[in-house]
Amino acid sequence: MIEIKPPEDFNFKECLVFLGRSDQELLHRIKDGFVYKLLKIDQEPLLLKIGFIDDSLQGEFPLGKPTVKAQKMASDYVVDWFDLGRDLAGFYEMAQHDQMLQRVVSKYRGLRMIGIPDLFEALTWAIIGQQINLTFAYTLRKRFVERFGESVTFEGETYWLYPTFDRIAEIEVDALKELQFTARKAEYVIGVSRAMVNGELTREHLLKMEDYQQTHAYLTKLRGIGSWTADYVMMKCLHQSAAFPITDVGLHNAVRIQLGLERKPTLDELKEMAAGWTGWEAYSVFYLWRSLYV
């Protein structure tokens, strides 16, 4: 078992609500208050069962006891996944003085940014979701994972690993078109995988770019990575709290609902509303997304 002491402001139930928002999710499973996640560590599948017990996150390994090194890597993954290394005091202080965020943040306090630690998954999930509704995006991702990912079955349940970039780098566009990817979207996904194979694109390199503009510019040079996709990846994978996917449809809907508007806000109106969010744009967006589902 691994044990992780989370920050004081941590609400595991709220995190589970976010993780359970789609019934088409197959990269983790929520059952009886626990979340099950299949990882691959040192080329071996590792099933992790995470619960919140006695004010700490506790992880068990249902497939058997892993090495000490593997346990440490699993623990690091959880800290990364739940963004447990971040102090949110500044965000909560800022939100107290923001008319729109005040209600949302008070209601969901303790929710952490549930990230996507794998860069290839973060990039390709964002590409898959471009210009289609979320339901169909999940359908495409499910087909993608089941066709090219690996799985483990435990007690009658199947747990999946996201496809690896080296696996996808070997396929051709038609293999994704068979899953109902558009030709353009298939080219983008395969292009990203090949950029990662040749070392042009790594999470480690991006994390060293502490400057928002530098990271954003580097990502948007890649074919298929526009401003929204870059901000989404910086927000969900690179822990850049200033990432701001301002054109996001979900953000626009959340703001419209929170302010009781008859139409979605314009980009200029959003920029004005977000003037006080500086440095916390990503968390502001994430909490507003949370307000969209029960």
Side-chain angles (χ1 to χ4, degrees):
M1 180 180 288
I2 57 172
E3 185 171 1
I4 302 165
K5 190 70 176 174
E8 185 176 341
D9 275 307
F10 179 72
N11 188 325
F12 187 61
K13 288 183 178 178
E14 271 301 328
C15 293
L16 288 188
V17 171
F18 175 81
L19 288 168
R21 69 197 185 285
S22 173
D23 58 8
Q24 293 195 75
E25 180 61 64
L26 76 167
L27 292 172
H28 56 262
R29 188 183 302 277
I30 297 170
K31 189 176 179 181
D32 301 327
F34 292 86
V35 59
Y36 292 75
K37 176 73 174 173
L38 186 63
L39 307 176
K40 194 167 191 177
I41 296 177
D42 289 340
Q43 302 306 308
E44 294 293 331
L46 185 70
L47 183 61
L48 182 58
K49 175 186 177 183
I50 307 164
F52 191 67
I53 303 165
D54 296 332
D55 295 324
S56 70
L57 282 168
Q58 296 187 10
E60 302 173 32
F61 302 95
L63 297 179
K65 184 179 179 181
T67 64
V68 172
K69 178 186 174 184
Q71 290 180 54
K72 173 65 167 61
M73 292 175 74
S75 179
D76 289 346
Y77 183 92
V78 173
V79 170
D80 193 341
W81 193 21
F82 287 89
D83 198 27
L84 298 179
R86 188 181 307 278
D87 182 356
L88 292 182
F91 171 62
Y92 291 135
E93 174 64 25
M94 178 276 290
Q96 285 181 2
H97 304 286
D98 185 284
Q99 180 183 357
M100 178 169 53
L101 288 180
Q102 189 179 50
R103 298 188 300 272
V104 174
V105 170
S106 175
K107 187 172 182 180
Y108 306 118
R109 189 174 181 124
L111 172 66
R112 312 294 294 192
M113 176 78 68
I114 309 300
I116 306 174
D118 179 72
L119 177 62
F120 181 63
E121 180 186 343
L123 279 165
T124 51
W125 173 226
I127 290 169
I128 286 169
Q130 289 172 357
Q131 298 179 329
I132 59 175
N133 65 60
L134 194 57
T135 300
F136 186 53
Y138 269 106
T139 298
L140 282 184
R141 188 181 70 158
K142 187 172 186 290
R143 293 171 184 169
F144 182 61
V145 172
E146 291 178 338
R147 174 67 179 83
F148 298 107
E150 298 177 57
S151 67
V152 167
T153 300
F154 174 70
E155 293 186 345
E157 302 278 6
T158 301
Y159 300 89
W160 287 91
L161 289 167
Y162 199 78
T164 58
F165 61 81
D166 52 344
R167 172 75 179 92
I168 301 305
E170 297 174 347
I171 69 173
E172 300 300 331
V173 166
D174 285 348
L176 293 181
K177 287 174 68 177
E178 290 173 4
L179 307 180
Q180 282 192 289
F181 280 65
T182 63
R184 188 69 57 84
K185 199 166 283 194
E187 289 169 4
Y188 295 162
V189 167
I190 294 170
V192 163
S193 69
R194 292 176 180 171
M196 294 188 73
V197 164
N198 66 31
E200 177 187 347
L201 183 62
T202 69
R203 189 184 191 218
E204 292 71 26
H205 179 57
L206 292 170
L207 286 171
K208 289 176 183 175
M209 298 181 188
E210 295 184 0
D211 178 74
Y212 168 85
Q213 296 297 342
Q214 182 188 12
T215 311
H216 195 273
Y218 190 89
L219 284 169
T220 52
K221 282 191 304 182
L222 293 159
R223 186 164 178 258
I225 309 298
S227 184
W228 174 85
T229 303
D231 274 301
Y232 180 84
V233 171
M234 292 164 69
M235 172 182 177
K236 296 280 283 177
C237 182
L238 303 179
H239 298 293
Q240 290 217 12
S241 58
F244 189 16
I246 194 169
T247 60
D248 185 79
V249 174
L251 170 64
H252 299 176
N253 284 330
V255 169
R256 177 182 60 79
I257 293 168
Q258 289 302 314
L259 297 181
L261 304 176
E262 293 184 358
R263 56 167 178 81
K264 295 177 183 178
T266 66
L267 293 185
D268 285 339
E269 287 171 338
L270 269 174
K271 288 175 185 175
E272 186 176 341
M273 292 173 197
W277 300 356
T278 304
W280 291 109
E281 289 90 343
Y283 260 89
S284 301
V285 171
F286 193 64
Y287 269 72
L288 285 164
W289 283 346
R290 170 64 185 89
S291 70
L292 290 171
Y293 49 89
V294 177

